[in-house]
Amino acid sequence: MVFAWLWRIISGMLIGTLVLTTSLLSVLIALIIQIVLPIAVIVFAVKLFTKKK
């Protein structure tokens, strides 16, 4: 009885942690994409322009 109760608490905490981690990760990935993508595009454009000249 106690074990089932403990398991419910532990699994609930694990699922909560997993959900939190996934949401945090997705936010982090979104931020990285928003920051890195424009920089990559700018660098790529600069390289293309410098090659042409």
Side-chain angles (χ1 to χ4, degrees):
M1 202 65 203
V2 176
F3 179 74
W5 177 68
L6 267 173
W7 172 248
R8 189 177 286 174
I9 291 173
I10 291 166
S11 60
M13 282 170 64
L14 277 173
I15 290 165
T17 312
L18 254 169
V19 168
L20 196 73
T21 312
T22 346
S23 54
L24 277 173
L25 266 173
S26 54
V27 166
L28 205 74
I29 289 166
L31 273 172
I32 288 168
I33 288 169
Q34 281 181 341
I35 294 166
V36 170
L37 213 65
I39 292 170
V41 168
I42 290 166
V43 168
F44 187 70
V46 167
K47 279 186 179 175
L48 272 178
F49 279 121
T50 48
K51 272 185 184 175
K52 282 179 180 175
K53 288 178 181 176

